[in-house]
Amino acid sequence: MDYSRRLRKPGRRSPRRPLPAGWAWRWNITPAHSPIPPLVPDTLAYLQSGESLVAGDGFARLGRPELHFPPAVPVGLASLADLLGSELAAVRAWNVAWNLAVALLVVALAHRFWGDQRRTVIAAWLAAVAPGAAMIVKSGGASEAPATAGLLLALVLVHPLLQRSTARSWPLVGGAALACGFAYLCRPETLLGSIFIGAAVLGSAR
């Protein structure tokens, strides 16, 4: 029997195969029902300020203007809670969805870096079932995953520019800038990463 031929069959090493496992892993580590919602303080603050803004009462929390957190995550969580009818369900769905987006972008970035199917599949499995994902989904503040996704998307977009493999630079730069802006509106700490990405793009243009 020719085992090498079997390994070369389509789907035998597909980076899509780890994703269902990653979804099940993330969904099951988040509690579906709890008398006390396991929401960390940052998540509660996001929900309060987001619900105030969605209700038309301004970006405020506890009767005062919200001056600490940027608006992207509060608005997203509050809108999802309004849609699902449950704050806990909204936080659960939000964290799982964005965490899977991070996994997909890790796979895309691995493919861009190596262009090798075997290494991309390894990266897919690591991103899908890595133990660190449990901490972000189960006890994160709901902003870590979307902020990370924004920076990873920017890296995926600018990678062809860094490799000088494309002449269509402006759409990619514009998309990367929007992704970095989204990451900043989730967590301002991502500004440093955005600066490094911008510096790398400028350096490759010389």
Side-chain angles (χ1 to χ4, degrees), residues 133-157:
M135 296 304 296
I136 296 178
V137 176
K138 192 171 184 179
S139 58
S143 61
E144 297 88 351
T148 303
L151 289 183
L152 286 174
L153 178 58
L155 285 171
V156 169
L157 291 174

Side-chain angles (χ1 to χ4, degrees), residues 47-94:
L47 285 167
Q48 291 167 354
S49 57
E51 288 169 353
S52 174
L53 185 59
V54 170
D57 298 326
F59 194 47
R61 177 164 54 99
L62 302 177
R64 298 181 179 180
E66 177 59 79
L67 303 176
H68 182 68
F69 295 111
V73 175
V75 171
L77 276 177
S79 301
L80 196 56
D82 185 59
L83 178 65
L84 299 179
S86 166
E87 292 181 346
L88 182 57
V91 172
R92 187 187 194 199
W94 174 273

Side-chain angles (χ1 to χ4, degrees), residues 80-168:
L80 196 56
D82 185 59
L83 178 65
L84 299 179
S86 166
E87 292 181 346
L88 182 57
V91 172
R92 187 187 194 199
W94 174 273
N95 281 340
V96 170
W98 279 111
N99 208 256
L100 284 177
V102 169
L104 285 169
L105 288 166
V106 167
V107 173
L109 195 58
H111 182 69
R112 285 284 179 92
F113 270 123
W114 293 309
D116 178 78
Q117 186 78 351
R118 183 175 61 86
R119 293 179 181 179
T120 301
V121 171
I122 292 173
W125 277 109
L126 289 175
V129 299
M135 296 304 296
I136 296 178
V137 176
K138 192 171 184 179
S139 58
S143 61
E144 297 88 351
T148 303
L151 289 183
L152 286 174
L153 178 58
L155 285 171
V156 169
L157 291 174
V158 302
H159 184 263
L161 302 180
L162 301 181
Q163 298 297 314
R164 299 183 180 181
S165 60
T166 180
R168 301 175 61 183

